[in-house]
């Protein structure tokens, strides 16, 4: 079973909610959370014992959180046009928002309990 933490960085974030639903439809156990800081997200990832943390990146603040978090845990992000910058910051994988199958395939290759 793949277990991922999906974090809503903005209230009522439709893209994150849609991604969570699509991942669940493909058999992924999604732990859904809201958070404002990388520290809160890292703590939740450890508590929930997930393979990776997912963020929908839209703003510079989101990119900063993703970069801070990437230093502590396995992060995947969905973003338009930010792949190089996010990978340079340490984010392990970057997907287009509609590439749910890519997320599932990538997460399947991550060891369980990999998040620290």
């Amino acid at each position: 079973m793949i277990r991922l933490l999906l974090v809503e960085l903005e209230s009522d974030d439709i893209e994150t909610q849609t991604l969570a639903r699509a991942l669940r439809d493909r058999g992924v156990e999604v732990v859904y959370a809201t958070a404002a800081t990388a520290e809160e997200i890292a703590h939740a990832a450890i508590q929930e014992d997930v393979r990776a943390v997912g963020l929908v990146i839209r703003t510079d603040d989101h990119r900063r959180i993703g970069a801070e978090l990437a230093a502590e845990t396995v992060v995947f992000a969905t973003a338009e046009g930010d792949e190089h910058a996010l990978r340079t910051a340490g984010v392990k994988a970057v997907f287009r928002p509609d590439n749910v199958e890519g997320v599932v395939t990538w997460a399947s290759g991550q060891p369980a309990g990999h998040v620290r």
Side-chain angles (χ1 to χ4, degrees), residues 53-116:
V53 175
L55 309 169
V56 174
I57 305 291
R58 277 194 227 70
T59 68
D60 287 340
D61 195 39
H62 296 169
R63 279 184 278 288
R64 181 189 50 75
I65 289 170
E68 287 176 21
L69 192 59
E72 297 182 38
T73 191
V74 177
V75 176
F76 76 90
T78 64
E80 294 288 341
D82 284 337
E83 183 171 355
H84 179 71
L86 290 167
R87 284 188 180 276
T88 299
V91 172
K92 304 297 185 241
V94 181
F95 302 93
R96 299 279 183 200
D98 62 349
N99 189 0
V100 175
E101 199 57 46
V103 172
V104 172
T105 299
W106 173 80
S108 294
Q110 298 302 306
H114 190 68
V115 171
R116 54 191 146 125

Side-chain angles (χ1 to χ4, degrees), residues 1-68:
M1 169 64 74
I2 300 169
R3 183 176 168 93
L4 301 175
L5 174 64
L6 199 56
V7 179
E8 185 175 284
L9 296 172
E10 296 176 354
S11 62
D12 297 323
D13 181 349
I14 299 300
E15 282 182 299
T16 303
Q17 294 168 11
T18 301
L19 178 59
R21 230 179 347 266
L23 288 168
R24 286 182 182 129
D25 288 349
R26 285 176 176 76
V28 174
E29 183 179 351
V30 176
V31 177
Y32 197 84
T34 58
T37 68
E39 183 177 274
E40 291 173 346
I41 297 167
H43 180 74
I46 292 166
Q47 290 292 323
E48 296 294 341
D49 192 31
V50 295
R51 287 189 191 200
V53 175
L55 309 169
V56 174
I57 305 291
R58 277 194 227 70
T59 68
D60 287 340
D61 195 39
H62 296 169
R63 279 184 278 288
R64 181 189 50 75
I65 289 170
E68 287 176 21

